[in-house]
Amino acid sequence: MVPPRPRAAGDAPARAGHAARTAVTAVVARRFATPEREHHEAARTFLRSAVPAAGVVLDATDLRDARGHAYADMAAAVLGDVLAGRPLDLLVLAHVVPDLALEDVATISAGELVGGVGASFGVSDQGSLAPFTALHLADVFAARQGLARAAVVVVDQHVLPYRTDRSAAQQLVGDAAVALLLEPAPDAGLRLAHRTGLHGADDDAWRRAVAAVRDDLVDADAPPPTVVVGAGADTGWLGPLHEVAGDVTHAGPGYPCSGVWQALAASSAGTGGAPVLVLEADPLVGAVHGARLAARPA
Protein backbone atom coordinates (compact mmCIF):
# COMPACT_ATOMS: atom_id res chain seq x y z
CA MET A 1 0.00 0.00 0.00
CA VAL A 2 3.01 2.27 0.42
CA PRO A 3 6.02 1.86 -1.90
CA PRO A 4 9.65 1.63 -0.78
CA ARG A 5 11.26 4.86 0.33
CA PRO A 6 14.51 5.20 -1.59
CA ARG A 7 15.15 8.80 -0.52
CA ALA A 8 16.01 9.96 2.95
CA ALA A 9 13.99 12.72 4.58
CA GLY A 10 15.29 16.08 3.47
CA ASP A 11 16.59 14.93 0.09
CA ALA A 12 15.81 17.31 -2.76
CA PRO A 13 12.52 16.42 -4.47
CA ALA A 14 13.01 14.71 -7.80
CA ARG A 15 11.72 16.56 -10.83
CA ALA A 16 9.80 14.85 -13.56
CA GLY A 17 7.40 15.97 -16.25
CA HIS A 18 5.63 14.23 -19.11
CA ALA A 19 4.08 15.71 -22.24
CA ALA A 20 1.44 13.22 -23.25
CA ARG A 21 0.10 12.35 -26.68
CA THR A 22 -3.45 11.63 -25.60
CA ALA A 23 -6.25 13.68 -24.07
CA VAL A 24 -8.79 12.81 -21.40
CA THR A 25 -11.97 13.14 -23.42
CA ALA A 26 -14.53 11.86 -20.91
CA VAL A 27 -14.78 11.23 -17.19
CA VAL A 28 -17.52 9.32 -15.37
CA ALA A 29 -17.78 8.78 -11.61
CA ARG A 30 -20.11 6.58 -9.59
CA ARG A 31 -20.51 5.70 -5.93
CA PHE A 32 -21.91 2.34 -4.93
CA ALA A 33 -24.06 2.66 -1.85
CA THR A 34 -25.30 -0.89 -1.25
CA PRO A 35 -22.58 -3.46 -0.49
CA GLU A 36 -23.05 -6.70 -2.38
CA ARG A 37 -20.00 -8.94 -2.29
CA GLU A 38 -18.68 -10.80 0.72
CA HIS A 39 -15.52 -12.80 1.27
CA HIS A 40 -15.70 -16.33 -0.07
CA GLU A 41 -14.52 -18.97 2.38
CA ALA A 42 -11.37 -19.50 0.30
CA ALA A 43 -10.54 -15.82 0.69
CA ARG A 44 -11.15 -15.99 4.43
CA THR A 45 -8.82 -18.98 4.71
CA PHE A 46 -6.14 -17.17 2.74
CA LEU A 47 -6.42 -14.02 4.85
CA ARG A 48 -6.32 -15.96 8.13
CA SER A 49 -2.96 -17.43 7.12
CA ALA A 50 -1.38 -14.69 5.04
CA VAL A 51 -2.23 -11.53 6.95
CA PRO A 52 -0.80 -12.52 10.38
CA ALA A 53 2.30 -13.91 8.65
CA ALA A 54 2.88 -10.43 7.21
CA GLY A 55 2.80 -8.92 10.69
CA VAL A 56 -0.60 -7.25 10.14
CA VAL A 57 -3.47 -7.54 12.61
CA LEU A 58 -6.51 -9.32 11.22
CA ASP A 59 -9.88 -8.11 12.52
CA ALA A 60 -12.04 -11.20 12.97
CA THR A 61 -15.26 -9.17 13.09
CA ASP A 62 -14.46 -7.31 9.89
CA LEU A 63 -13.43 -10.56 8.23
CA ARG A 64 -16.75 -12.20 9.12
CA ASP A 65 -18.93 -9.26 8.13
CA ALA A 66 -16.92 -7.80 5.25
CA ARG A 67 -19.14 -6.90 2.32
CA GLY A 68 -18.38 -4.58 -0.55
CA HIS A 69 -18.15 -4.24 -4.30
CA ALA A 70 -15.50 -6.07 -6.29
CA TYR A 71 -13.23 -3.81 -8.31
CA ALA A 72 -14.17 -5.65 -11.49
CA ASP A 73 -17.88 -4.95 -10.99
CA MET A 74 -17.35 -1.25 -10.25
CA ALA A 75 -14.91 -0.84 -13.15
CA ALA A 76 -17.32 -2.47 -15.57
CA ALA A 77 -20.13 -0.16 -14.45
CA VAL A 78 -18.24 3.07 -15.13
CA LEU A 79 -16.65 1.70 -18.29
CA GLY A 80 -20.12 0.95 -19.61
CA ASP A 81 -21.05 4.59 -18.98
CA VAL A 82 -17.99 6.08 -20.64
CA LEU A 83 -17.66 3.69 -23.59
CA ALA A 84 -21.32 3.56 -24.65
CA GLY A 85 -20.71 0.34 -26.54
CA ARG A 86 -17.47 1.39 -28.25
CA PRO A 87 -14.47 -1.00 -28.14
CA LEU A 88 -11.62 -0.47 -25.69
CA ASP A 89 -7.98 -1.15 -26.57
CA LEU A 90 -6.39 -0.71 -23.12
CA LEU A 91 -7.60 -0.72 -19.52
CA VAL A 92 -5.43 0.42 -16.59
CA LEU A 93 -6.90 -0.02 -13.12
CA ALA A 94 -5.55 2.16 -10.28
CA HIS A 95 -6.23 1.52 -6.59
CA VAL A 96 -4.89 2.23 -3.11
CA VAL A 97 -6.15 -0.74 -1.09
CA PRO A 98 -6.30 -4.38 -2.21
CA ASP A 99 -9.43 -5.75 -3.83
CA LEU A 100 -12.00 -7.28 -1.50
CA ALA A 101 -12.70 -10.00 -4.08
CA LEU A 102 -9.56 -12.13 -4.05
CA GLU A 103 -11.07 -14.70 -6.41
CA ASP A 104 -11.08 -12.22 -9.33
CA VAL A 105 -8.34 -10.68 -11.43
CA ALA A 106 -10.07 -7.34 -11.61
CA THR A 107 -8.68 -6.07 -14.92
CA ILE A 108 -9.45 -9.30 -16.77
CA SER A 109 -12.91 -9.66 -15.23
CA ALA A 110 -13.81 -6.03 -15.93
CA GLY A 111 -12.70 -6.41 -19.53
CA GLU A 112 -14.84 -9.48 -19.99
CA LEU A 113 -17.85 -7.67 -18.52
CA VAL A 114 -17.58 -4.88 -21.13
CA GLY A 115 -17.11 -7.23 -24.08
CA GLY A 116 -13.35 -7.57 -24.11
CA VAL A 117 -10.27 -5.34 -23.90
CA GLY A 118 -7.13 -5.53 -26.00
CA ALA A 119 -4.76 -5.30 -23.03
CA SER A 120 -5.11 -4.57 -19.33
CA PHE A 121 -3.04 -4.18 -16.17
CA GLY A 122 -3.20 -2.57 -12.75
CA VAL A 123 -1.25 0.04 -10.76
CA SER A 124 -0.95 -0.25 -6.98
CA ASP A 125 1.58 0.56 -4.23
CA GLN A 126 1.52 4.21 -5.29
CA GLY A 127 -0.93 5.40 -2.64
CA SER A 128 -3.29 8.17 -3.69
CA LEU A 129 -1.00 8.92 -6.61
CA ALA A 130 -1.66 5.62 -8.42
CA PRO A 131 -4.07 7.24 -10.93
CA PHE A 132 -1.37 9.66 -12.13
CA THR A 133 1.03 6.77 -12.72
CA ALA A 134 -1.77 4.93 -14.50
CA LEU A 135 -2.41 7.93 -16.77
CA HIS A 136 1.28 8.12 -17.65
CA LEU A 137 1.48 4.41 -18.47
CA ALA A 138 -1.77 4.44 -20.43
CA ASP A 139 -0.62 7.41 -22.50
CA VAL A 140 2.77 5.91 -23.33
CA PHE A 141 1.32 2.49 -24.11
CA ALA A 142 -1.47 3.92 -26.27
CA ALA A 143 0.88 6.17 -28.22
CA ARG A 144 3.50 3.47 -28.87
CA GLN A 145 0.90 0.93 -29.95
CA GLY A 146 -1.23 3.36 -31.93
CA LEU A 147 -4.34 2.62 -29.88
CA ALA A 148 -7.56 4.45 -30.58
CA ARG A 149 -9.06 4.27 -27.11
CA ALA A 150 -7.67 3.64 -23.60
CA ALA A 151 -9.24 3.99 -20.18
CA VAL A 152 -7.94 4.50 -16.67
CA VAL A 153 -10.34 3.33 -13.97
CA VAL A 154 -9.74 4.54 -10.41
CA VAL A 155 -11.39 2.54 -7.62
CA ASP A 156 -11.89 2.76 -3.85
CA GLN A 157 -13.55 0.44 -1.40
CA HIS A 158 -14.33 0.96 2.26
CA VAL A 159 -13.98 -2.60 3.59
CA LEU A 160 -10.67 -3.97 4.82
CA PRO A 161 -10.51 -6.86 7.29
CA TYR A 162 -7.12 -5.69 8.56
CA ARG A 163 -5.47 -2.47 9.63
CA THR A 164 -2.85 -0.68 7.52
CA ASP A 165 -0.97 2.61 7.47
CA ARG A 166 -3.41 3.80 4.83
CA SER A 167 -6.58 2.98 6.73
CA ALA A 168 -5.19 4.62 9.87
CA ALA A 169 -4.16 7.80 8.03
CA GLN A 170 -7.18 8.17 5.77
CA GLN A 171 -10.63 6.92 6.68
CA LEU A 172 -12.20 4.78 4.00
CA VAL A 173 -15.90 5.61 3.79
CA GLY A 174 -17.34 4.15 0.58
CA ASP A 175 -17.05 2.21 -2.64
CA ALA A 176 -16.53 4.29 -5.78
CA ALA A 177 -15.09 4.18 -9.28
CA VAL A 178 -14.09 6.79 -11.86
CA ALA A 179 -13.38 6.08 -15.53
CA LEU A 180 -11.19 8.43 -17.57
CA LEU A 181 -11.24 7.90 -21.33
CA LEU A 182 -8.04 8.69 -23.27
CA GLU A 183 -7.98 9.26 -27.02
CA PRO A 184 -5.23 10.46 -29.37
CA ALA A 185 -4.37 14.17 -29.21
CA PRO A 186 -0.94 14.81 -30.71
CA ASP A 187 -1.04 18.60 -30.44
CA ALA A 188 -2.69 19.35 -27.09
CA GLY A 189 -4.01 17.19 -24.33
CA LEU A 190 -2.87 15.62 -21.11
CA ARG A 191 0.27 16.82 -19.34
CA LEU A 192 1.75 15.26 -16.20
CA ALA A 193 4.34 16.27 -13.61
CA HIS A 194 5.44 15.20 -10.15
CA ARG A 195 7.93 15.76 -7.33
CA THR A 196 9.10 13.02 -5.01
CA GLY A 197 11.44 12.67 -2.04
CA LEU A 198 9.20 14.52 0.41
CA HIS A 199 9.14 12.07 3.31
CA GLY A 200 9.44 14.03 6.54
CA ALA A 201 9.54 17.33 4.63
CA ASP A 202 8.31 20.53 6.25
CA ASP A 203 5.47 22.71 4.94
CA ASP A 204 7.85 24.96 3.01
CA ALA A 205 9.22 21.97 1.08
CA TRP A 206 5.71 20.81 0.22
CA ARG A 207 4.78 24.31 -0.96
CA ARG A 208 7.89 24.42 -3.16
CA ALA A 209 6.98 21.03 -4.62
CA VAL A 210 3.44 22.21 -5.39
CA ALA A 211 4.88 25.35 -7.00
CA ALA A 212 7.25 23.26 -9.11
CA VAL A 213 4.45 21.01 -10.37
CA ARG A 214 2.38 24.12 -11.09
CA ASP A 215 5.23 25.64 -13.11
CA ASP A 216 5.58 22.46 -15.16
CA LEU A 217 1.90 22.39 -16.03
CA VAL A 218 0.69 26.00 -16.23
CA ASP A 219 1.65 28.09 -19.25
CA ALA A 220 2.22 31.78 -18.56
CA ASP A 221 0.36 32.85 -21.72
CA ALA A 222 -2.60 30.49 -21.22
CA PRO A 223 -5.90 31.37 -19.50
CA PRO A 224 -5.82 30.84 -15.72
CA PRO A 225 -6.53 27.19 -14.98
CA THR A 226 -9.27 25.90 -12.77
CA VAL A 227 -7.83 23.57 -10.13
CA VAL A 228 -9.14 20.43 -8.45
CA VAL A 229 -7.15 19.36 -5.38
CA GLY A 230 -7.26 16.05 -3.56
CA ALA A 231 -7.81 15.58 0.16
CA GLY A 232 -4.20 14.49 0.67
CA ALA A 233 -2.88 18.00 0.02
CA ASP A 234 -2.79 20.17 3.14
CA THR A 235 -4.41 23.55 2.51
CA GLY A 236 -1.25 25.22 3.82
CA TRP A 237 0.67 23.87 0.83
CA LEU A 238 -1.62 25.35 -1.82
CA GLY A 239 -0.60 29.00 -1.90
CA PRO A 240 1.22 28.56 -5.25
CA LEU A 241 -2.01 27.34 -6.83
CA HIS A 242 -4.08 30.28 -5.61
CA GLU A 243 -1.53 32.61 -7.25
CA VAL A 244 -2.51 31.38 -10.73
CA ALA A 245 -5.87 29.64 -10.46
CA GLY A 246 -9.18 31.06 -11.45
CA ASP A 247 -10.96 28.68 -9.09
CA VAL A 248 -9.94 25.87 -6.71
CA THR A 249 -12.18 22.89 -5.89
CA HIS A 250 -11.26 20.64 -2.93
CA ALA A 251 -12.11 16.95 -2.82
CA GLY A 252 -13.55 15.63 0.43
CA PRO A 253 -11.97 12.86 2.51
CA GLY A 254 -12.84 9.17 2.57
CA TYR A 255 -11.91 8.21 -1.01
CA PRO A 256 -8.09 8.30 -1.05
CA CYS A 257 -7.66 7.09 -4.63
CA SER A 258 -10.75 8.29 -6.47
CA GLY A 259 -11.68 11.39 -4.46
CA VAL A 260 -9.97 14.05 -6.57
CA TRP A 261 -11.25 12.43 -9.77
CA GLN A 262 -14.78 12.29 -8.39
CA ALA A 263 -14.44 16.00 -7.64
CA LEU A 264 -13.30 16.60 -11.22
CA ALA A 265 -16.33 14.76 -12.59
CA ALA A 266 -18.73 16.67 -10.34
CA SER A 267 -17.23 20.13 -10.76
CA SER A 268 -17.71 22.76 -13.43
CA ALA A 269 -13.92 23.08 -13.77
CA GLY A 270 -12.89 24.23 -17.22
CA THR A 271 -16.38 24.65 -18.61
CA GLY A 272 -15.33 28.00 -20.09
CA GLY A 273 -12.51 26.39 -22.05
CA ALA A 274 -9.74 27.07 -19.52
CA PRO A 275 -7.26 24.29 -18.78
CA VAL A 276 -7.88 22.14 -15.71
CA LEU A 277 -5.15 21.23 -13.23
CA VAL A 278 -5.72 18.15 -11.04
CA LEU A 279 -3.32 17.87 -8.11
CA GLU A 280 -2.88 15.34 -5.32
CA ALA A 281 -0.29 14.92 -2.56
CA ASP A 282 0.37 11.83 -0.47
CA PRO A 283 2.56 12.21 2.64
CA LEU A 284 2.77 8.40 3.03
CA VAL A 285 4.33 8.19 -0.43
CA GLY A 286 6.18 11.50 -0.06
CA ALA A 287 5.20 12.99 -3.40
CA VAL A 288 3.03 15.48 -5.26
CA HIS A 289 1.54 14.64 -8.65
CA GLY A 290 -0.31 16.85 -11.09
CA ALA A 291 -2.18 16.42 -14.36
CA ARG A 292 -3.23 19.19 -16.72
CA LEU A 293 -6.18 18.69 -19.01
CA ALA A 294 -6.44 21.05 -21.95
CA ALA A 295 -10.16 21.45 -21.25
CA ARG A 296 -12.76 19.81 -19.11
CA PRO A 297 -13.71 16.36 -20.44
CA ALA A 298 -17.32 15.54 -21.23
Side-chain angles (χ1 to χ4, degrees), residues 17 79 109 123 168 195 206 235 253:
L79 283 172
S109 297
V123 176
R195 295 296 186 278
W206 282 99
T235 55

Side-chain angles (χ1 to χ4, degrees), residues 55-82:
V56 178
V57 176
L58 182 66
D59 188 309
T61 301
D62 284 351
L63 179 61
R64 184 186 67 244
D65 299 335
R67 289 179 177 271
H69 294 84
Y71 284 166
D73 296 337
M74 291 192 290
V78 290
L79 283 172
D81 291 340
V82 80

Side-chain angles (χ1 to χ4, degrees), residues 53-270:
V56 178
V57 176
L58 182 66
D59 188 309
T61 301
D62 284 351
L63 179 61
R64 184 186 67 244
D65 299 335
R67 289 179 177 271
H69 294 84
Y71 284 166
D73 296 337
M74 291 192 290
V78 290
L79 283 172
D81 291 340
V82 80
L83 290 173
R86 294 174 293 176
L88 182 63
D89 300 308
L90 173 67
L91 167 63
V92 187
L93 185 74
H95 56 92
V96 169
V97 301
D99 195 354
L100 175 71
L102 299 177
E103 71 276 11
D104 291 329
V105 177
T107 52
I108 295 175
S109 297
E112 292 174 346
L113 289 170
V114 296
V117 174
S120 62
F121 54 89
V123 176
S124 60
D125 291 333
Q126 296 282 302
S128 300
L129 308 176
F132 296 87
T133 302
L135 285 168
H136 171 79
L137 294 173
D139 170 72
V140 171
F141 195 102
R144 287 180 177 175
Q145 301 299 320
L147 305 182
R149 193 170 295 108
V152 169
V153 176
V154 186
V155 284
D156 274 310
Q157 66 183 18
H158 74 288
V159 177
L160 280 178
Y162 46 85
R163 298 294 175 255
T164 67
D165 288 344
R166 177 66 53 181
S167 56
Q170 293 176 307
Q171 183 183 10
L172 307 170
V173 301
D175 296 353
V178 181
L180 299 118
L181 185 66
L182 282 74
E183 297 178 287
D187 297 325
L190 178 69
R191 283 167 57 181
L192 300 160
H194 67 267
R195 295 296 186 278
T196 61
L198 292 162
H199 295 292
D202 60 20
D203 288 344
D204 285 340
W206 282 99
R207 278 191 290 270
R208 289 194 298 271
V210 169
V213 169
R214 174 205 65 189
D215 291 344
D216 284 347
L217 298 178
V218 177
D219 297 327
D221 57 352
T226 54
V227 177
V228 184
V229 179
D234 188 285
T235 55
W237 305 341
L238 303 180
L241 297 181
H242 290 283
E243 294 173 4
V244 299
D247 184 39
V248 178
T249 298
H250 295 266
Y255 297 90
C257 201
S258 67
V260 71
W261 306 99
Q262 290 186 59
L264 171 66
S267 76
S268 59

